[in-house]
Amino acid sequence: MTDDMKFGLPGKLSLHVPEPEVRPGGKPDFSNVTIPKAGSVRRPEVDVDPETIRDLAFSIIRVLNREGEAVGPWAGTLTNEELMEGLRHMMLLRTFDSRMLMAQRQGKTSFYMQHLGEEAVSCAFRKALQPGDMNFPTYRQAGLLIAGGYPMVEMMNQIYSNDADPLKGRQLPIMYSAKDYGFFTISGNLATQYVQAVGWAMASAIKNDTKIAAGWIGDGSTAESDFHSALVFASTYRAPVILNVVNNQWAISTFQGVARGGSGTFAARGLGYGLPSLRVDGNDYLAVHAVAKWAAERARRNIGPTLIEYVTYRVGAHSTSDDPSAYRPKEESEAWPLGDPVIRLKNHLIRVGAWSEERHKQMEAEIRDTVVAAQKEAERHGTLHSGGRPSMRDMFEGVYAEMPPHLKRQRQQAGV
Amino acid sequence: MARMTMIEAIRSAIDVSMERDDSVVVFGEDVGYFGGVFRCTQGLQQKYGKTRCFDAPINESGIVGTAIGMAAYGLKPCIEIQFADYMYPAYDQLTQEAARLRYRSNGEFTCGMVVRMPTGGGIFGGQTHSQSPEALFTHVCGLQVVVPSNPYDAKGLLISSIENPDPVIFLEPKRLYNGPFDGHHDRPVTSWAGHPLGEVPSEHYSVPLGKAVVRREGSAVTILAYGTMVHVAEATAEETGIDAEIIDLRTLMPLDLETIVESVRKTGRCMVVHEATLTSGFGAELAALVQEHCFYHLEAPVVRIAGWDTPYPHAQEWDYFPGPVRVGQALRDMMEA
């Protein structure tokens, strides 16, 4: 029994407020995170009765072991070539992040959010989808765009709100929208997209289409009511949707225990709704892909939705407006037992003889050049405070399909 | 032409729309098998099948949220919130999502959908079956807000709303579902049978959004009203003998300012009546616009008659509802001003 579970005498109540194990100045401690051995979790058939795999919501599906070998029943969904491409995607995202973080510090944009440590989740997931499928992402799944081949320059144009911004300067940086790349318009309001993903999937089923949807949410946002709404609707209508929970342990300064209490895992939330619920090593590119593929197949075969919890760690600050040293130990990410997704995939590829330190260094340099070139091109269109910017006229467009009279009057008043 | 109640007219509008366009889907609490607690969707599941018209869990943000996803896919959801009083759990989805999809995605994703909500009081509905939350929607850029006052308009406006490429909040005054109501609660209930606007074409037709209509021509004062209050205004004009011009706004957003301004410039007086509470109600917007556009034609201050700034009470229903007595007295006072 831990300290906070000691019970007092009857008659006097006290409120329980969860606290993380460690605060700044303390020694990082993940001893409470149980990590099963790679390859140890079974792989059920996709049409399994969810009742019979409840244990999978409390375990962690892992493929890569300490030696960098791919082991167990979830291994083998990707070729070495595909894995090298995956490695490249993760490195692109990481480099993109670091350049955009710097651009924000240089005042070229107002805001940025990194994916550091979470690259495998969105990059590997994207490769399990097919053209036409639709993601309903949060602000921390830009790997879906990068792995989906969306032009990086367009992402930067959006971040800079310049005159080539596909969203005409109307949206806060990183709130991308890319319909043709299966990437739904990002909203600042948390969890709203989770239930919209279910609706999109229901629409695909109503039309007897073959496309599936994926909803995305973070650990903190699972506490929002739309998380519950999404699970109810997905379960009721057996919508062809994959419901992803990215558990990176932190919701800004709030540790995941505040969203979850002491009640099992985030995957376990799905069980009460009758959903098959898997928990996966979010820093294991191979495991993420294998689980995503399993869930996609379930959805595509009209068997129903799947809930997946990706266990990972938010290595970077929440955003450029956040300083994590105020609420967690600086060295915590280094103590994270699931390691770094890029290094783990790199080591695997070296282990199987498909990769080398030299080639990795080469690729790092090549990626840096690619991102810098994209940045230069984007900056030719301007940054937030200098160069080209969207027109003031654009501000009035697109509120409605047809501009109503009062907006026309206001546009006129604005002198455009 | 057929004779229809507002319920039948709404049902007919949905039926016609589902028939014409198989991307129109209908769902909400009790709307499927049972046909809705007000019978507005009766028979539609039987006719179009369970995947076109179905029952939903009791979860308003889920109903609106899934509908937004469907609209983003390309369907045209026409969904129901059982009472406007229960739209609040969906307010986030309506105002931050449905209203903004087009703008924030620069047109990549749109949200052509209709959210039907029975609204208004006069039925002893108490606090949570009587509210008129239209001002909470007219304040949200990206939404359109419609309030019909009779069966003919209800069908035509609903068809226009379903065919509209943006989200429409369609508020149905439940007091008018079975017959017109002028606020004389002590008189026998009337039906749409004897009313000219109860004559409704069975086939497809539309009433354009954003267009008001003059229900009664007059020269003494302009009354701006919508929903149930149109009938109250009509009765009041007859009973006071004051030659009021009554405008049924029909669409609050976008608003037909032209018709309003033309009338007030002619009459020189303007009264706004609505059931919703006074402070920051839609009447404040109307009064401001009239003041702004008709200042030099006004012979008296713009008057607002509205629900009191209290939650909608039960026992005091008729002390609360702005009926013909209150509107009539205000009208007489105004003419003396």
Side-chain angles (χ1 to χ4, degrees):
Chain A
M1 188 185 282
T2 57
D3 271 359
D4 63 355
M5 285 175 71
K6 280 182 187 151
F7 305 114
L9 294 169
K12 209 165 188 181
L13 304 172
S14 63
L15 181 71
H16 169 66
V17 180
E19 267 295 316
E21 299 282 332
V22 200
R23 285 297 191 184
K27 193 172 153 38
D29 180 12
F30 288 110
S31 57
N32 62 337
V33 182
T34 311
I35 312 284
K37 277 178 70 173
S40 66
V41 177
R42 68 200 156 107
R43 185 186 186 284
E45 294 299 316
V46 292
D47 57 356
V48 66
D49 175 359
E51 279 295 316
T52 64
I53 57 162
R54 295 173 73 87
D55 53 309
L56 266 63
F58 299 93
S59 193
I60 301 180
I61 294 164
R62 307 178 64 227
V63 171
L64 292 174
N65 66 16
R66 280 170 190 277
E67 284 71 44
E69 295 161 324
V71 295
W74 294 89
T77 57
L78 290 163
T79 64
N80 284 344
E81 285 68 34
E82 287 168 327
L83 289 174
M84 287 190 288
E85 192 195 23
L87 181 64
R88 185 183 147 78
H89 291 152
M90 289 198 289
M91 290 166 71
L92 265 172
L93 178 56
R94 188 167 290 189
T95 308
F96 177 81
D97 271 349
S98 70
R99 297 294 304 185
M100 290 298 99
L101 184 68
M102 201 196 306
Q104 192 276 337
R105 296 299 186 221
Q106 292 167 336
K108 291 174 180 171
T109 186
S110 63
F111 182 74
Y112 191 70
M113 298 176 103
Q114 297 184 84
H115 305 74
L116 198 56
E118 300 176 37
E119 292 89 346
V121 177
S122 51
C123 289
F125 184 88
R126 179 63 182 79
K127 300 313 280 183
L129 294 186
Q130 290 176 5
D133 295 342
M134 185 62 72
N135 282 287
F136 287 72
T138 76
Y139 46 66
R140 224 186 292 280
Q141 276 88 44
L144 296 170
L145 287 174
I146 286 182
Y150 185 73
M152 193 173 270
V153 177
E154 294 290 289
M155 295 168 75
M156 291 170 170
N157 288 336
Q158 197 280 324
I159 289 166
Y160 288 141
S161 286
N162 61 23
D163 67 18
D165 175 2
L167 306 183
K168 306 284 185 192
R170 295 176 192 152
Q171 265 285 39
L172 195 67
I174 73 162
M175 305 279 181
Y176 314 107
S177 177
K179 189 178 186 179
D180 293 344
Y181 293 79
F183 193 96
F184 186 71
T185 161
I186 296 180
S187 169
N189 294 56
L190 299 177
T192 50
Q193 74 289 341
Y194 217 51
V195 66
Q196 293 162 6
V198 176
W200 197 98
M202 287 169 69
S204 184
I206 287 168
K207 292 306 240 179
N208 305 123
D209 202 342
T210 56
K211 298 169 196 158
I212 64 170
W216 293 85
I217 204 165
D219 46 272
S221 303
T222 60
E224 291 280 8
S225 55
D226 278 340
F227 176 73
H228 162 72
S229 304
L231 268 57
V232 170
F233 278 71
S235 166
T236 297
Y237 301 109
R238 287 190 207 155
V241 63
I242 306 171
L243 294 167
N244 297 310
V245 179
V246 183
N247 174 11
N248 68 12
Q249 316 300 321
W250 290 97
I252 308 187
S253 73
T254 308
F255 93 112
Q256 48 88 22
V258 172
R260 183 182 64 82
S263 56
T265 63
F266 290 103
R269 292 273 196 261
L271 300 178
Y273 299 86
L275 303 181
S277 305
L278 309 179
R279 211 159 170 254
V280 59
D281 179 346
N283 292 11
D284 181 340
Y285 188 95
L286 287 78
V288 170
H289 182 268
V291 166
K293 199 177 164 206
W294 188 89
E297 193 187 332
R298 261 183 68 79
R300 260 182 248 291
R301 284 179 53 188
N302 209 32
I303 301 167
T306 305
L307 183 81
I308 305 173
E309 175 185 348
Y310 303 86
V311 183
T312 182
Y313 185 85
R314 195 197 80 208
V315 176
H318 166 69
S319 73
T320 49
S321 309
D322 174 51
D323 173 15
S325 71
Y327 50 81
R328 68 183 192 190
K330 273 188 176 133
E331 324 74 35
E332 195 175 81
S333 64
E334 285 149 39
W336 175 242
L338 295 175
D340 179 300
V342 174
I343 295 171
R344 284 175 67 194
L345 181 55
K346 172 190 152 192
N347 289 346
H348 168 68
L349 286 168
I350 292 174
R351 173 91 193 189
V352 299
W355 202 238
S356 67
E357 290 289 354
E358 295 72 45
R359 287 180 71 182
H360 194 77
K361 280 208 178 64
Q362 265 174 18
M363 187 148 88
E364 264 175 351
E366 178 252 316
I367 280 173
R368 204 191 126 79
D369 290 348
T370 305
V371 177
V372 169
Q375 195 176 1
K376 278 187 181 150
E377 192 185 331
E379 289 180 12
R380 272 203 293 275
H381 293 284
T383 61
L384 181 60
H385 298 298
S386 67
R389 52 176 296 193
S391 84
M392 202 160 134
R393 252 183 108 78
D394 283 328
M395 182 170 73
F396 294 94
E397 300 285 344
V399 182
Y400 300 90
E402 194 186 330
M403 191 177 291
H406 72 285
L407 267 183
K408 284 182 185 157
R409 284 197 300 275
Q410 288 174 27
R411 191 180 63 183
Q412 210 170 13
Q413 278 171 17
V416 289
Chain B
M1 282 292 193
R3 195 143 276 293
M4 294 188 198
T5 65
M6 197 188 274
I7 291 167
E8 289 160 343
I10 286 163
R11 189 190 305 148
S12 173
I14 302 173
D15 189 359
V16 164
S17 301
M18 290 179 88
E19 180 94 55
R20 282 165 65 97
D21 183 350
D22 63 10
S23 66
V24 177
V25 292
V26 173
F27 63 104
E29 295 156 21
D30 305 298
V31 310
Y33 183 84
F34 181 58
V37 294
F38 291 108
R39 323 309 299 155
C40 288
T41 55
Q42 193 171 32
L44 296 177
Q45 184 177 81
Q46 211 174 6
K47 186 167 174 187
Y48 296 101
K50 281 200 298 182
T51 62
R52 298 277 311 279
C53 176
F54 51 92
D55 291 312
I58 303 174
N59 183 325
E60 287 77 13
S61 81
I63 291 168
V64 174
T66 51
I68 292 169
M70 290 178 196
Y73 175 94
L75 298 189
K76 289 183 180 169
C78 177
I79 58 173
E80 179 180 303
I81 301 292
Q82 204 159 75
F83 286 86
D85 315 59
Y86 300 131
M87 67 81 185
Y88 300 95
Y91 199 60
D92 188 28
Q93 288 285 350
L94 288 169
T95 63
Q96 310 305 299
E97 301 293 322
R100 306 251 186 92
L101 279 199
R102 178 185 295 280
Y103 190 73
R104 78 173 195 233
S105 70
N106 192 26
E108 274 199 331
F109 296 94
T110 57
C111 191
M113 71 169 183
V114 179
V115 187
R116 297 180 36 244
M117 304 181 195
T119 189
I123 56 144
F124 281 95
Q127 296 185 24
T128 55
H129 299 81
S130 309
Q131 295 173 29
S132 298
E134 60 271 15
L136 295 173
F137 296 117
T138 53
H139 190 56
V140 179
C141 31
L143 296 180
Q144 303 189 18
V145 182
V146 177
V147 192
S149 69
N150 59 74
Y152 181 88
D153 279 359
K155 179 171 175 182
L157 288 166
L158 184 51
I159 288 173
S160 288
S161 299
I162 292 170
E163 292 170 357
N164 187 66
D166 291 312
V168 177
I169 306 295
F170 196 86
L171 295 162
E172 301 165 1
K174 62 182 104 58
R175 191 61 181 82
L176 302 180
Y177 268 157
N178 289 304
F181 179 64
D182 60 12
H184 284 293
H185 55 91
D186 44 349
R187 294 180 190 168
V189 172
T190 52
S191 78
W192 285 111
H195 198 286
L197 292 166
E199 290 280 342
V200 179
S202 308
E203 64 277 8
H204 177 277
Y205 69 94
S206 59
V207 172
L209 305 186
K211 292 274 174 255
V213 65
V214 176
R215 289 280 173 228
R216 180 189 190 283
E217 289 196 14
S219 58
V221 55
T222 300
I223 301 181
L224 304 180
Y226 49 91
T228 308
M229 299 312 292
V230 172
H231 303 280
V232 172
E234 283 175 338
T236 309
E238 296 312 315
E239 289 157 20
T240 57
I242 294 170
D243 188 23
E245 179 144 302
I246 298 168
I247 297 180
D248 180 352
L249 298 175
R250 299 198 289 200
T251 306
L252 308 189
M253 177 58 70
L255 184 68
D256 184 356
L257 186 61
E258 224 171 291
T259 299
I260 296 170
V261 169
E262 193 187 328
S263 173
V264 176
R265 285 187 178 170
K266 179 179 79 177
T267 62
R269 282 181 164 80
C270 180
M271 172 181 278
V272 180
V273 290
H274 59 56
E275 286 182 64
T277 50
L278 179 74
T279 302
S280 302
F282 190 64
E285 180 63 28
L286 291 171
L289 284 169
V290 167
Q291 185 272 147
E292 189 183 337
H293 293 271
C294 312
F295 186 76
Y296 296 105
H297 296 79
L298 285 175
E299 291 161 32
V302 179
V303 170
R304 290 180 289 157
I305 300 301
W308 307 115
D309 283 341
T310 70
Y312 206 110
H314 184 245
Q316 303 91 335
E317 174 85 84
W318 306 117
D319 303 314
Y320 182 93
F321 184 91
V325 174
R326 213 168 106 206
V327 176
Q329 188 54 50
L331 206 54
R332 285 189 205 96
D333 293 348
M334 192 183 182
M335 293 315 295
E336 285 164 19

